[in-house]
Amino acid sequence: MSRSESGVSDDRAWRAVEARDRTFDGRFVTGVLTTGIYCRPSCSARHPRRENVRFFADAGAAERFGLRACLRCRPNDVSRDEEAVAAALRVLDGGDEKAPGLTELAEAVGYSPTHFQRVFKRSVGLSPSEYLRARRVERAANAMSDGASVTEAIYEAGFGASSRFYEASEGRLGMVPSAWRNGGKGVTIHWAVVPTSLGRMLVAATEKGVCRLSFEEGRDDLAGRFPQAELIEGGAAFESLLASVVAAVEQPGQSRAIPLDVQGTAFQEAVWRELQRIPPGETRSYAQIAAAVGKPGAVRAAGSANGANNVAVLIPCHRVVRSDGTIGGYAYGEAIKRELLKRERR
């Protein structure tokens, strides 16, 4: 499968398979050479080894190669809605600054704009315009990670002007663009390790907000995450923020406007926002979180996004439990998770 056939590179396709990303269903199929079958990217079957996989643009190409359809995910039974969303995604992923608007996209796939907006958002979790902005910001971030300057990355990602990039970034949980590359180079991070009733807690923040909250970690752990950042212990301006964070941990669930400075993919950030919507004292399963962000088949990906959370408590990943109601795991131990939930239910 080449990029010209499907618009998806092999590396990107494999990442989609690992995440069981339903937004890629209909855009390519995954051929498993050792079993002779081909699957949707979101197939719930156990992942094959990467060296045993070949990607095909569609079911026909896979079958001409001699593979048969998976009976679990039925990749050769693609609905009209899936085909329409896949076609729109190919256009939006093209990187063209002048990508079509909702009306033009809907007309191209034979839907009314209002209906296609609902179909697209149900499948992807974002509206077409939100998805386009997120992909452009993500492309800019990737370009910066590869060493491009901020200005170069912004234009390479399809933004006609830097102002459009900053407008698209507004409201995302991500770090400022200059911190998306080189381990935080050019960013000052204030930090402290403080005692709490749950154990020693590391709190770190940029000028935008808290970028790390964890337990039983210290400066070396922070430096490992941001090796190029300037790390300053304490600081007068930081003390007020630190006090608010400690209070949020000691009395979780009480409303506090604590700014955050974290960065993830569009899907991860959608999951983190959904975690913040869970009322204190309540819990959700990974399946409920996946459904809430519009990707009911991405349960494992929702779990991975939950685990990628860099700011414990403030993004309340402790409110996610297993579908059978059991407590489930937690990066800092089940005892802390149980105590946080207990405090919120008082």
Side-chain angles (χ1 to χ4, degrees):
M1 183 190 72
S2 69
R3 182 177 294 275
S4 61
E5 291 176 308
S6 70
V8 183
S9 69
D10 280 7
D11 287 345
R12 184 67 188 92
W14 178 244
R15 292 199 301 273
V17 170
E18 289 184 307
R20 293 186 168 85
D21 192 337
R22 293 184 67 198
T23 66
F24 283 83
D25 286 356
R27 302 172 66 187
F28 68 87
V29 294
T30 308
V32 185
L33 305 185
T34 50
T35 61
I37 65 172
Y38 66 93
C39 303
R40 296 172 183 261
S42 66
C43 185
S44 60
R46 183 177 179 180
H47 285 143
R49 296 174 64 90
R50 175 66 183 88
E51 60 266 27
N52 297 328
V53 167
R54 176 172 173 177
F55 300 108
F56 297 89
D58 52 37
E63 291 179 1
R64 287 192 294 274
F65 189 77
L67 304 179
R68 64 186 186 280
C70 172
L71 296 178
R72 176 177 297 188
C73 66
R74 300 185 181 277
N76 56 347
D77 182 19
V78 180
S79 70
R80 182 189 175 210
D81 284 354
E82 288 177 322
E83 290 178 340
V85 171
L89 287 170
R90 284 194 291 270
V91 173
L92 297 177
D93 284 341
D96 185 357
E97 181 188 352
K98 296 181 179 179
L102 174 62
T103 299
E104 189 175 348
L105 274 177
E107 289 178 352
V109 295
Y111 283 74
S112 71
T114 301
H115 181 58
F116 185 63
Q117 174 99 332
R118 288 197 297 268
V119 168
F120 190 95
K121 191 163 187 176
R122 183 173 63 242
S123 175
V124 179
L126 301 169
S127 69
S129 60
E130 289 171 336
Y131 178 84
L132 179 60
R133 287 194 298 270
R135 288 290 288 121
R136 284 176 172 170
V137 171
E138 186 175 346
R139 281 196 293 269
N142 291 337
M144 293 177 200
S145 297
D146 291 338
S149 70
V150 173
T151 301
E152 290 172 337
I154 287 172
Y155 283 95
E156 287 176 11
F159 291 99
S162 59
S163 60
R164 293 185 181 178
F165 170 73
Y166 293 110
E167 288 169 2
S169 300
E170 187 70 24
R172 296 190 77 206
L173 292 169
M175 299 177 76
V176 293
S178 61
W180 284 1
R181 62 185 180 119
N182 298 333
K185 185 177 181 180
V187 175
T188 298
I189 297 177
H190 290 266
W191 66 278
V193 174
V194 294
T196 72
S197 59
L198 298 176
R200 287 164 45 85
M201 181 174 72
L202 169 68
V203 180
T206 68
E207 62 179 8
K208 283 188 65 179
V210 177
C211 61
R212 181 68 176 166
L213 192 162
S214 59
F215 295 95
E216 301 304 328
E217 288 190 339
R219 187 190 186 285
D220 289 346
D221 300 285
L222 185 64
R225 292 179 179 275
F226 303 105
Q228 300 300 321
E230 180 185 12
L231 304 183
I232 299 176
E233 187 172 6
F238 176 68
E239 292 300 323
S240 176
L241 178 62
L242 178 62
S244 296
V245 173
V246 172
V249 171
E250 297 293 359
Q251 298 176 313
Q254 296 190 11
S255 179
R256 293 182 178 86
I258 297 176
L260 302 181
D261 186 359
V262 293
Q263 182 241 327
T265 65
F267 178 76
Q268 286 174 329
E269 292 181 7
V271 168
W272 296 341
R273 285 191 294 271
E274 196 58 40
L275 294 179
Q276 292 178 306
R277 294 189 182 107
I278 303 174
E282 296 185 16
T283 59
R284 299 287 187 272
S285 68
Y286 293 116
Q288 288 174 315
I289 294 296
V293 299
K295 296 187 178 181
V299 177
R300 292 192 181 184
S304 297
N306 196 63
N309 173 25
N310 277 319
V311 287
V313 185
L314 303 183
I315 295 178
C317 55
H318 62 276
R319 295 177 189 162
V320 182
V321 298
R322 294 194 178 111
S323 296
D324 60 6
T326 55
I327 194 70
Y330 190 57
Y332 308 108
E334 289 187 13
I336 289 180
K337 183 174 184 177
R338 290 182 186 278
E339 180 60 25
L340 288 168
L341 291 174
K342 178 182 176 182
R343 293 178 184 185
E344 291 184 352
R345 289 166 177 161
R346 288 174 182 168

